[in-house]
Amino acid sequence: MAETHQEIVSVLTEARVFPPPQAFSQRALLKSMEDYQRLWDEAARNPDKYWGDRAREELYWKEPFQTVLEWKPPHARWFVEGRTNLAYNCLDRHLATRRDKPAILFEGEPGDRRSITYGELSTQVNRLANGLKSLGIKKGDRVGIYLPMVPEAAVAMLACARIGAVHSVVFGGFSTEALQERMNDAGAKVVLTADGGWRKGAVVPLLKNVEAALKTMTTVEKVVVLRRTGDSLALNDSKLLAWDALVKDQSDTCEPEWVESEHPLFILYTSGSTGKPKGVLHTTAGYSVMASLTTRWVFDLREDDVYWCTADVGWVTGHSYVVYGPLMNGATTVIYEGAPTHPAPDRFWDIIERYKATILYTAPTAIRAFMRLGEEHPRKKDLSSLRLLGSVGEPINPEAWMWYREVIGGGRCPVVDTWWQTETGSIMISPLPGATPTKPGSATLPLPGIHAEILDRQGNAVPKGQGGLLFVTQPWPSMLRTVYGDPERYVRTYFSELPGKYFTGDGARTDADGYFWLMGRVDDVVNVAGHRLGTAEVESALVSHPRVSEAAVVGRPDDLKGTALVAFVTLKQGHAPSPELKKELAQHVSKEIGAIARPDEIRFAEALPKTRSGKIMRRLLRDVAAGKQSSQDTTTLEDLNVLAALQQNDE
Ligand code: WT7
């Protein structure tokens, strides 16, 4: 928590309050704090009734449920006897009234554009669903998705959901090694990929990465390849199959698989405090209910909105707020493939102007990058279509919040800072834009039915104003159900701090109004430019290099990325530090995990400071990493030796 010291100081002095603009509230779904309070009380008084009502409102049920919740801590089953299908809820349900409404407005990085209606999307999904069936995919089978941000990524997810297959999307920025580890852990039978995707004018070689893993992805029988970046597809392995060829002769209709509420929907890998990423498992009904509900409430979604969430489908934000939440609501969702500043710094603003986007949901790191690029870029474009702004992924500093509100939102759009996690499945703490007065830097209040509390390690409530650990003390429908293949890790990671209470891994405090102020991770997870990384993962990548003996990776505050990665590395006997080796190690991490995990700084040391029991003293390293921030001249080696010596003497 010490890392975010500066931020906390500015946040502590933050006293500005912005009530929802009257004109916004009047038209909003939830118009006042009385509305919020009423729902909150209702949910607290009778959670079964509250969530049961929500579930009946949000979803079409093939079979109704009788039991809202079966809670055997820490295991929850929601809407137990019900049967539904998420693809049906995203597509078929809308066909009578929205067949010709755009479901997806797509823009590729090179400038290619497509508008896909609900009718068209439905057909594409059915054809692919039938194609997957023809490959032998059945209910419960796992399917990997490793695609760029193109409409087919959504088609792929929905096709899986339609037939009850469990998707596991791997972010296109992850490397061969990362892909292979995830596909093996999930036991994926089929992988859906593309020849490549566009990013900053270059091709991300997805197919090449998949091909390099073909032999080691032991459960993968077929790889379906979409043509995106090349003129033709070169498929040089009998496992490879062209997407077009697979869907060409398939039927346009496909009966949905009516799955039980608790049928697994997807596995999404995320970083934890140990080396191996966790496969967070979400199930069908509970996840769907909350993704749908929160999209409508938090973004005050209306029929004519053009909604743009800039996240990649490789992250949970892309699952819940690019694909499922908006489509369940029959909304028009914008998908943009590429980098925010390619080919020019105004690319985002250009997109907003062209599609007349009304809602923008993006990450603080992007906002800070735009701030740095200068106001002239957004000022050139017509952003008057915007009516609501959202932020997600890390704490937003008040300066960035104000800039977002004023420069992008023209001072008229409410800003919703939404706190949640891969594990929570959907937004948990957030303003309701027509109701909640906002304060720059605060995610404000838990949504009705969400019991967020700040406790100490003994489970005592922490007084207002003081920092503590953020727990969710009651189950909620879109909570993760387990860590795939490792049920004990589920219990250990989330429910061992305080039995029966979900530990978020975040530090937070509340203010006098009960507003939540998130203070960052308290475990060995860091948030680099909105991407969640486990320091242990980066360490094990470094240690897998033949010259590295030991590595310790810590976060350091960074104006742009929120947190930057600093790696302290000791070398094996006979190897000398050099600038070339630094480069090589950074490259090695990119190869093992992906460019997002590439350390911003590598420091060679002769020894790492450790406790007598051999634990690396991370807090000390964090101080070293942060302390050297402003100095150009890094006498790392000596500093560390001194520290190491000091510590050894101490013990
Ligand atoms: C971690 C979860 C949730 C989708 C994207 C990230 C941090 C997320 C906020 C926010 C402060 C935030 C937390 C959380 N975080 N949103 N609005 N304010 N911190 O999902 O990769 O699972 O990361 O992101 O530290 O634990 P994720």
Side-chain angles (χ1 to χ4, degrees):
M1 265 188 265
E3 289 108 293
T4 47
H5 181 70
Q6 259 177 323
E7 215 100 286
I8 290 166
V9 170
S10 69
V11 150
L12 284 173
T13 54
E14 184 55 57
R16 288 168 287 199
V17 181
F18 295 92
Q22 225 176 7
F24 190 101
S25 291
Q26 272 163 7
R27 289 195 59 190
L29 288 165
L30 296 153
K31 300 180 198 313
S32 66
M33 283 308 273
E34 288 72 51
D35 283 351
Y36 167 80
Q37 198 60 49
R38 182 176 40 78
L39 287 162
W40 173 267
D41 293 343
E42 206 180 296
R45 214 178 309 119
N46 192 345
D48 269 22
K49 173 166 187 334
Y50 174 82
W51 287 120
D53 287 349
R54 299 292 84 74
R56 279 179 288 265
E57 283 162 16
E58 295 305 319
L59 295 189
Y60 168 80
W61 294 89
K62 184 73 176 174
E63 297 281 343
F65 56 88
Q66 274 91 47
T67 313
V68 171
L69 169 66
E70 204 182 273
W71 176 229
K72 297 185 182 137
H75 302 287
R77 289 162 56 79
W78 284 91
F79 316 120
V80 180
E81 303 81 1
R83 273 179 190 266
T84 186
N85 180 283
L86 181 47
Y88 181 92
N89 279 283
C90 288
L91 301 167
D92 309 51
R93 208 171 29 147
H94 305 309
L95 293 181
T97 51
R98 299 187 177 109
R99 183 178 287 274
D100 298 322
K101 177 178 178 174
I104 295 175
L105 297 175
F106 168 70
E107 182 160 309
E109 198 189 66
D112 53 318
R113 290 174 202 137
R114 274 190 275 166
S115 166
I116 301 171
T117 63
Y118 272 92
E120 290 161 348
L121 185 63
S122 174
T123 306
Q124 288 186 31
V125 167
N126 288 346
R127 294 173 81 101
L128 183 64
N130 288 326
L132 288 172
K133 279 201 212 166
S134 76
L135 297 178
I137 295 296
K138 293 186 294 293
K139 180 182 173 190
D141 286 344
R142 275 81 57 217
V143 173
I145 297 176
Y146 186 55
L147 282 167
M149 272 301 280
V150 292
E152 286 79 2
V155 172
M157 293 162 72
L158 289 159
C160 290
R162 187 152 197 101
I163 61 174
V166 183
H167 60 69
S168 186
V169 184
V170 177
F171 172 54
F174 277 124
S175 68
T176 295
E177 274 74 9
L179 171 72
Q180 164 209 299
E181 182 181 14
R182 286 160 175 74
M183 293 299 91
N184 284 339
D185 189 84
K189 265 186 157 174
V190 164
V191 174
L192 300 164
T193 190
D195 51 353
W198 291 103
R199 181 94 194 163
K200 294 187 187 155
V203 170
V204 182
L206 298 170
L207 178 57
K208 205 176 118 248
N209 294 347
V210 175
E211 282 182 304
L214 271 184
K215 291 213 164 54
T216 44
M217 295 191 297
T218 48
T219 57
V220 173
E221 294 162 12
K222 283 280 178 219
V223 175
V224 181
V225 190
L226 178 78
R227 189 173 66 76
R228 166 76 190 137
T229 52
D231 295 328
S232 61
L233 279 181
L235 303 176
N236 305 316
D237 191 289
S238 59
K239 282 186 184 168
L240 303 178
L241 177 83
W243 184 299
D244 281 351
L246 178 69
V247 299
K248 194 166 57 113
D249 297 321
Q250 301 296 341
S251 155
D252 284 353
T253 57
C254 172
E255 182 58 22
E257 182 80 40
W258 298 107
V259 298
E260 312 78 44
S261 290
E262 286 298 337
H263 182 66
L265 176 67
F266 68 83
I267 302 167
L268 186 59
Y269 286 86
T270 189
S271 297
S273 19
T274 65
K276 204 171 160 297
K278 296 180 284 220
V280 167
L281 182 89
H282 282 287
T283 57
T284 303
Y287 169 84
S288 304
V289 168
M290 277 187 72
S292 176
L293 177 75
T294 55
T295 306
R296 202 171 55 262
W297 282 7
V298 172
F299 301 107
D300 188 49
L301 204 59
R302 294 205 295 251
E303 191 60 43
D304 56 355
D305 273 316
V306 175
Y307 164 96
W308 185 23
C309 165
T310 68
D312 192 285
V313 287
W315 312 106
V316 74
T317 311
H319 285 58
S320 304
Y321 299 108
V322 176
V323 180
Y324 290 132
L327 295 181
M328 269 187 279
N329 282 286
T332 298
T333 183
V334 175
I335 295 186
Y336 167 60
E337 176 186 33
T341 52
H342 189 86
D346 63 355
R347 184 64 187 263
F348 264 30
W349 320 126
D350 192 56
I351 291 172
I352 290 172
E353 183 181 83
R354 176 165 323 104
Y355 300 101
K356 299 195 171 39
T358 56
I359 298 168
L360 174 67
Y361 188 31
T362 194
T365 189
I367 298 165
R368 289 192 299 265
F370 290 129
M371 261 173 100
R372 201 177 269 196
L373 288 167
E375 290 185 14
E376 62 269 29
H377 305 294
R379 296 257 186 244
K380 272 194 311 223
K381 299 287 171 183
D382 179 7
L383 305 182
S384 62
S385 56
L386 287 172
R387 63 180 195 92
L388 178 68
L389 302 173
S391 170
V392 62
E394 52 184 317
I396 180 166
N397 45 311
E399 297 69 25
W401 195 102
M402 286 304 296
W403 188 88
Y404 197 28
R405 181 189 146 88
E406 298 307 324
V407 178
I408 305 306
R412 71 181 180 278
C413 306
V415 174
V416 289
D417 172 8
T418 62
W419 177 90
W420 59 296
Q421 310 177 296
T422 304
E423 293 87 341
T424 68
S426 55
I427 296 170
M428 302 286 278
I429 305 178
S430 166
L432 295 168
T436 319
T438 52
K439 303 181 188 183
S442 170
T444 74
L445 299 164
L447 297 181
I450 302 302
H451 296 261
E453 287 182 52
I454 297 173
L455 305 174
D456 65 19
R457 289 198 189 267
Q458 284 69 48
N460 305 307
V462 170
K464 283 181 177 171
Q466 278 177 33
L469 305 174
L470 179 64
F471 286 84
V472 185
T473 57
Q474 299 288 330
W476 65 102
S478 65
M479 69 192 284
L480 81 163
R481 298 301 194 264
T482 191
V483 172
Y484 189 75
D486 196 349
E488 273 152 42
R489 191 169 176 194
Y490 167 78
V491 181
R492 198 172 355 110
T493 309
Y494 304 107
F495 292 94
S496 66
E497 198 71 49
L498 297 174
K501 294 180 173 163
Y502 171 82
F503 177 49
T504 62
D506 277 3
R509 66 180 181 88
T510 50
D511 66 15
D513 298 323
Y515 276 36
F516 284 72
W517 298 79
L518 278 301
M519 293 156 77
R521 301 287 305 198
V522 296
D523 52 7
D524 293 321
V525 170
V526 285
N527 211 313
V528 178
H531 295 321
R532 175 165 157 185
L533 288 167
T535 52
E537 248 173 279
V538 185
E539 286 163 7
S540 57
L542 283 164
V543 174
S544 73
H545 188 279
R547 292 203 211 170
V548 172
S549 166
E550 277 191 305
V553 173
V554 296
R556 151 170 55 76
D558 182 274
D559 284 347
L560 205 59
K561 294 175 151 191
T563 314
L565 282 186
V566 181
F568 296 88
V569 172
T570 64
L571 297 174
K572 284 184 184 155
Q573 284 263 301
H575 295 294
S578 70
E580 292 72 45
L581 184 57
K582 271 190 194 177
K583 273 203 203 109
E584 192 180 317
L585 293 181
Q587 194 46 41
H588 181 71
V589 175
S590 292
K591 180 178 159 285
E592 290 294 308
I593 304 174
I596 50 168
R598 196 186 178 98
D600 297 274
E601 193 183 333
I602 295 182
R603 297 175 165 208
F604 292 115
E606 259 168 33
L608 299 176
K610 289 185 187 167
T611 62
R612 184 171 292 175
S613 63
K615 266 200 162 179
I616 294 169
M617 307 188 74
R618 288 166 182 288
R619 198 175 328 168
L620 208 68
L621 290 176
R622 275 199 282 269
D623 290 346
V624 173
K628 290 290 171 207
Q629 209 186 178
S630 55
S631 155
Q632 289 286 72
D633 168 22
T634 47
T635 48
T636 331
L637 217 127
E638 269 143 69
D639 282 7
L640 266 178
N641 287 338
V642 170
L643 282 171
L646 265 180
Q647 287 314 127
Q648 271 151 18
N649 290 345
D650 249 29
E651 293 274 320

